Amino acid sequence: MPSSVVFGTNEKWRINRNIFILGFAFMIHFTAFHGTANLQSSVNTDAAAGTFTLAAIYFSLILSNVFLPALVIQWLGCKWTMALSFIAYMPFIIAQFYPHLHTLVPAGMMVGFGGGPLWCAKCTYLSVVAEPYAKLSGVSAEVLVVRFFGLFFMFYQMAQIWGNLISSAILSSSLGDVTLYSNETYLNADVIAAFNYSIPAPDYGATCGVNFCSGSEEHDNSNLEPPSPLKIQVIAGIYLACMLAACVLVAIGVDSLSRYNTGRQPTGHGKSGLQLLAVTLRQLRHKYQLLLLPVIGYIGAEQAFMAADFTQAFVGCAYGIPNIGFVMICFGVFNALAAPVAGAVVKVTGRFPVMLTALVLNLCLLTALLLWRPEPEQWLMFYFLAAIWGTADAVWLVQVNALSGILFPGDEEAAYSNFRLWEATGSVLSYASAPYLCVRTRLYILLGLLLLGFSGYTTIEVMEYKVKKRHHQERNFELVMKTEQD
């Protein structure tokens, strides 16, 4: 039963503190997860173990989103759901000490089972605390939800910066590398000089980028050689400490949601497991939810393409595995900056122009990836594309997350559970098909899904505009009738 709380003058500061601590904890936690996930397709290449592990993560996330969020949140509350869900990610990091298909895939499944309750609890927490903050500040809850999501994702996307900075610094070092003795070096140089042998420069554009196929044997170049096991183990040890710190931070630093949930029952209150499943699936009866599915699926698919294909086929293949982290730092910086900026711009221009901008950025990005032949000398292009991708991804994440809360007030658990469900579906299909489809084919699929998703979103905006226009006309009519009666 929620407790009755009389809010004091410093309650706005307290709510902001909760959001800051929550965002900081997610940043620390996903510093470890993103840093590890970004390397999977390039480092754990035996039997495509890394890519299949990422697919396992999002496959179990689908099951998790259907069965677990409302039930776990009902049992534990949002705060403790988030704290304990962090622990479910830790086996994924531990498995990096012994990276094989039979260790990585089960550990990846654990991540997915923890991810469903984690993200649903986070989204519910931000949506619920917006209501008392709106009463205290006089700002509408709809605006505050977007602002809170923008602030949260600013922290969250900074995880890309720190996680990749850690991995790149270690991968670029000489830790665990085999040192070549000087006499061996001179001998090799003498042999090369004696035979007047010159090594031709590889044509990276012919086998990397849009021409990359995971099953092909033609991209056997030094850039794709995995780093030493010692480097991976040092990275994993640092990441494991990050996850533990994030868990402790949420446990001791975030207020329970019962403080702000007074008189408000969650969607899953008092229901059995099957009934809670029905709550999640019943949400699909809403036409708005159905129209959102393609754009939610696109968010999952484009993030999977970034983590698996862009890092391996473009950056790793043509620019080198140690540089993956540096390029992803650029992605994270622009993602973190664009998240709060998108929320602020929406207040001025409305939501649709911002979403239209994201569409144009993504269309230009996908077209560039289809036409570009990556070479190491074009290093600036890798960072430029990552920056554009980070900017567009931030808009999709913030606006579609916020839209899920705005369109379905009172049904946040079901709405956000569906968001994570269909985002995970897009991701798992993208990861699972990566070893079998060439990059060119996957880019065309991504382009089609983008156009379909934006069409569904645009339909929602048109329907909402008509509803508001009709309501405005009815309101004016009531005022006229009242004036005539007076």
Side-chain angles (χ1 to χ4, degrees), residues 268-309:
H269 182 76
K271 293 181 173 64
S272 68
L274 289 176
Q275 288 173 321
L276 291 169
L277 169 61
V279 166
T280 302
L281 298 181
R282 194 180 302 127
Q283 184 72 11
L284 296 176
R285 297 186 306 175
H286 293 281
K287 55 188 176 183
Y288 284 171
Q289 186 69 69
L290 290 174
L291 289 168
L292 278 178
L293 295 189
V295 72
I296 293 173
Y298 171 75
I299 293 172
E302 59 97 6
Q303 289 177 342
F305 186 92
M306 182 68 174
D309 295 281

Side-chain angles (χ1 to χ4, degrees), residues 163-330:
N164 291 302
L165 188 61
I166 291 169
S167 65
S168 292
I170 295 173
L171 291 174
S172 300
S173 71
S174 59
L175 185 68
D177 291 345
V178 178
T179 304
L180 191 66
Y181 293 106
S182 57
N183 60 341
E184 293 180 9
T185 305
Y186 295 140
L187 177 62
N188 292 337
D190 291 340
V191 171
I192 292 173
F195 287 94
N196 195 22
Y197 179 74
S198 61
I199 301 175
D203 182 10
Y204 293 105
T207 55
C208 299
V210 73
N211 296 315
F212 186 92
C213 294
S214 295
S216 174
E217 301 295 333
E218 298 177 3
H219 47 72
D220 184 21
N221 63 60
S222 59
N223 285 341
L224 292 173
E225 291 180 5
S228 68
L230 180 59
K231 290 182 180 180
I232 301 300
Q233 291 166 7
V234 171
I235 293 171
I238 296 172
Y239 287 163
L240 196 59
C242 289
M243 287 192 171
L244 184 61
C247 181
V248 173
L249 196 58
V250 169
I252 65 176
V254 176
D255 286 326
S256 172
L257 194 58
S258 60
R259 178 180 181 84
Y260 305 106
N261 211 20
T262 306
R264 186 177 185 277
Q265 289 188 340
T267 309
H269 182 76
K271 293 181 173 64
S272 68
L274 289 176
Q275 288 173 321
L276 291 169
L277 169 61
V279 166
T280 302
L281 298 181
R282 194 180 302 127
Q283 184 72 11
L284 296 176
R285 297 186 306 175
H286 293 281
K287 55 188 176 183
Y288 284 171
Q289 186 69 69
L290 290 174
L291 289 168
L292 278 178
L293 295 189
V295 72
I296 293 173
Y298 171 75
I299 293 172
E302 59 97 6
Q303 289 177 342
F305 186 92
M306 182 68 174
D309 295 281
F310 185 73
T311 56
Q312 183 185 25
F314 288 86
V315 185
C317 183
Y319 195 31
I321 290 176
N323 293 311
I324 290 175
F326 293 122
V327 174
M328 294 303 289
I329 287 172
C330 183

